Amino acid sequence: MEVLETSVYAEDLEKARAFYEGVLGLPCFQFKPPRHAFFRAGRGVFLVFNPALTEKEEALPPHGARGSVHVAFRVEEEELPLWEERLKAAGYPVFWAQWPGGKSLYTQDPAGNLVELAPGRIWGL
């Protein structure tokens, strides 16, 4: 089993797209501002919804959250220093956490969501 879809929430979808597509390199396959931006993330999808529009929808189950949420993207451990450089070069501060299974690299997207880049082995994968 793997993640089918994961979502975070941001009101400024242009900034979200610039971060997830421009900095992290996730291909945006559907961009419908001001409602949502959808990205490919490996074999799964990563969704960014504008909660001002989607938390009250009636046609679909509502999608919405206020405040920072968390997403973790699986990357190879040897790529982490390169991701640190890339994020810093794009103006995003980073910090590290050490876990029993390895290290994670953290930053925040433009909406304040916590974005983690980590090898699968931190979860024994």
Side-chain angles (χ1 to χ4, degrees), residues 73-88:
F73 292 104
R74 185 178 186 168
V75 299
E76 297 300 322
E77 187 168 6
E78 59 271 10
E79 296 174 351
L80 287 171
L82 300 172
W83 281 111
E84 178 183 30
E85 289 176 24
R86 185 172 182 167
L87 287 163
K88 285 181 175 179

Side-chain angles (χ1 to χ4, degrees), residues 8-13 16 20 34-35 48-52 65 109-111 113:
V8 298
Y9 304 91
E11 291 186 7
D12 189 330
L13 294 179
Y20 289 106
R35 186 187 183 278
V48 181
F49 289 106
N50 179 346
D109 75 6
N113 294 300

Side-chain angles (χ1 to χ4, degrees), residues 43-113:
R43 295 186 298 176
V45 294
F46 178 69
L47 313 172
V48 181
F49 289 106
N50 179 346
L53 298 177
T54 59
E55 67 188 357
K56 298 174 186 157
E57 286 185 329
E58 296 179 17
L60 298 170
H63 288 75
R66 299 292 174 169
S68 176
V69 297
H70 170 246
V71 60
F73 292 104
R74 185 178 186 168
V75 299
E76 297 300 322
E77 187 168 6
E78 59 271 10
E79 296 174 351
L80 287 171
L82 300 172
W83 281 111
E84 178 183 30
E85 289 176 24
R86 185 172 182 167
L87 287 163
K88 285 181 175 179
Y92 292 93
V94 301
F95 60 97
W96 293 87
Q98 181 66 48
W99 307 108
K103 293 191 309 186
S104 291
L105 177 66
Y106 291 89
T107 194
Q108 288 185 304
D109 75 6
N113 294 300

Side-chain angles (χ1 to χ4, degrees), residues 15-51:
K15 286 182 181 177
R17 184 176 187 177
F19 177 77
Y20 289 106
E21 187 173 47
V23 178
L24 295 188
L26 300 178
C28 185
F29 69 90
Q30 192 174 111
F31 189 61
K32 301 228 177 188
R35 186 187 183 278
H36 68 259
F38 293 171
F39 304 87
R40 295 272 176 232
R43 295 186 298 176
V45 294
F46 178 69
L47 313 172
V48 181
F49 289 106
N50 179 346

